[in-house]
Amino acid sequence: MAVIEQLTQDFLRTKKLPHIWCPGCGNGIVTAALVRAIERAGYDQKDVVIVSGIGCSSRAAGYLNFNTLHTTHGRALAFATGLKMARPELKLFVIMGDGDCSAIGGNHFIHAARRNIDLNAVIVNNYIYGMTGGQHSPLTPKGRKATTAPRGTLERPFDLLALARGAGATFGARGTAAQPRQLEQLIVRGANHKGFSVLEALSPCPIAYGRRNKLGGPVDMLREMKDKSIPVERAEEIDAEELADKTITGVIYSFDAPEYAEEYYRSIEKNSG
Ligand SMILES: Cc1ncc(C[n+]2csc(CCOP(=O)(O)OP(=O)(O)O)c2C)c(N)n1
Ligand code: SF4
Ligand SMILES: [Mg+2]
């Protein structure tokens, strides 16, 4: 059997298909990269938990044949934190949209980073609230149009990975749906990292974002994503002016620090009896 068919059979809840995503949406590409990464990481299916919030991207949890928790908007990391503390041996992947993670869920995000808890956050950044029809999020680039910014948003987006780093996250990476193999590798690296790992996966939403901003069709959006991306190793060699228009991809930072669940159980052991 071809690899792709095997992965579909093993890791997708085919009875839940067809999925709800629009044609040309990047969510399927990111979800497929996640499935391949979990397979490559060699985890036992019963040890893997997919937690998600609410949004188009978060629907992935319903289609994946692992233990899954489809939670509430902005709260995926809170649910995942509880689960990790109760069952630290589990491998948790937390899928969130840009709105879910950086707006309503922003506090959970910075505190998961601060604790350096061993969760793998996969943030599908399509620069917009897709599911609710196109409101701007804290990651929408300045000037882009949204239902809540018909003349273009005046707000400056923040750098999600820099925010996470400042709050205490120990692994930060960025990939794009236009480069799915790299995305898969980055998820594997994040999964192998002990501590809070943040993967920002840039993904096209041709319907709620692309159309309103006249970005062309899905292929145009993917092509632009690919053309603008620059590996972190190359980014270090070029000047700031050239870099201004680029999106840096790859592992942006990775270092060791105490992990929360491990420290918690160690402190119980030390203080018991
Ligand atoms: C507490 C709460 N507030 C608001 C909503 C409505 N809501 C559902 S999805 C969503 C935004 C989704 O955007 P994002 O997180 O970027 O995910 P995407 O759909 O783009 O993948 C909002 C505001 C909700 N379901 N629950
Ligand atoms: S609205 Fe956007 S993010 Fe949601 S399924 Fe459609 S293309 Fe994907
Ligand atoms: Mg979004």
Side-chain angles (χ1 to χ4, degrees):
M1 195 185 288
V3 177
I4 196 81
E5 285 167 29
Q6 188 67 53
L7 286 178
T8 304
Q9 189 174 300
D10 292 348
F11 298 128
L12 291 192
R13 292 175 178 149
T14 47
K15 282 194 186 134
K16 297 280 181 193
L17 301 175
H19 57 72
I20 63 152
W21 296 323
C22 310
C25 177
N27 287 336
I29 301 176
V30 179
T31 305
L34 175 62
V35 166
R36 291 194 305 272
I38 292 172
E39 206 261 343
R40 264 184 58 182
Y43 297 143
D44 197 324
Q45 208 160 344
K46 69 174 179 17
D47 293 335
V48 173
V49 188
I50 312 287
V51 185
S52 72
I54 297 288
C56 296
S57 43
S58 282
R59 280 292 185 113
Y63 306 133
L64 294 171
N65 194 21
F66 300 95
N67 303 291
T68 57
L69 271 176
H70 191 188
T71 72
T72 54
H73 191 47
R75 310 293 181 234
L77 283 168
F79 282 86
T81 298
L83 184 52
K84 185 71 187 177
M85 294 310 290
R87 296 281 306 276
E89 76 283 7
L90 296 176
K91 314 290 180 195
L92 275 80
F93 295 84
V94 188
I95 304 173
M96 293 168 281
D98 48 317
D100 193 288
C101 172
S102 67
I104 191 170
N107 247 320
H108 295 297
F109 183 66
I110 57 174
H111 293 291
R114 184 173 62 85
R115 295 184 184 113
N116 192 34
I117 187 163
D118 192 22
L119 301 173
N120 304 297
V122 176
I123 298 110
V124 184
N125 181 9
N126 55 13
Y127 304 111
I128 205 80
Y129 285 17
M131 179 164 265
T132 43
Q135 296 79 11
H136 68 87
S137 87
L139 304 190
T140 307
K142 189 173 179 196
R144 291 294 198 201
K145 290 184 178 153
T147 56
T148 43
R151 290 171 295 280
T153 172
L154 300 175
E155 294 179 11
R156 288 178 302 157
F158 54 66
D159 178 335
L160 191 69
L161 296 182
L163 177 79
R165 171 76 185 86
T170 49
F171 181 95
R174 187 181 294 111
T176 83
Q179 291 132 311
R181 287 288 167 199
Q182 182 199 38
L183 205 53
E184 174 189 330
Q185 284 159 11
L186 294 173
I187 299 172
V188 174
R189 287 189 61 181
N192 288 333
H193 178 83
K194 185 95 185 158
F196 191 56
S197 83
V198 182
L199 173 81
E200 182 182 14
L202 305 180
S203 174
C205 167
I207 302 304
Y209 183 66
R211 205 148 60 179
R212 186 168 285 111
N213 284 289
K214 300 191 170 40
L215 300 177
V219 174
D220 302 303
M221 291 181 78
L222 283 168
R223 195 169 287 135
E224 191 184 341
M225 234 169 230
K226 192 171 176 191
D227 290 348
K228 277 195 169 175
S229 84
I230 179 167
V232 63
E233 299 78 14
R234 269 208 53 221
E236 282 158 11
E237 292 162 5
I238 65 173
D239 57 46
E241 207 178 312
E242 208 184 324
L243 204 55
D245 192 34
K246 300 280 185 206
T247 310
I248 303 175
T249 59
V251 176
I252 312 297
Y253 51 85
S254 176
F255 57 95
D256 294 328
E259 191 276 325
Y260 188 70
E262 214 167 66
E263 282 216 300
Y264 175 78
Y265 280 100
R266 210 178 295 130
S267 85
I268 289 180
E269 217 171 278
K270 206 166 134 193
N271 295 303
S272 65

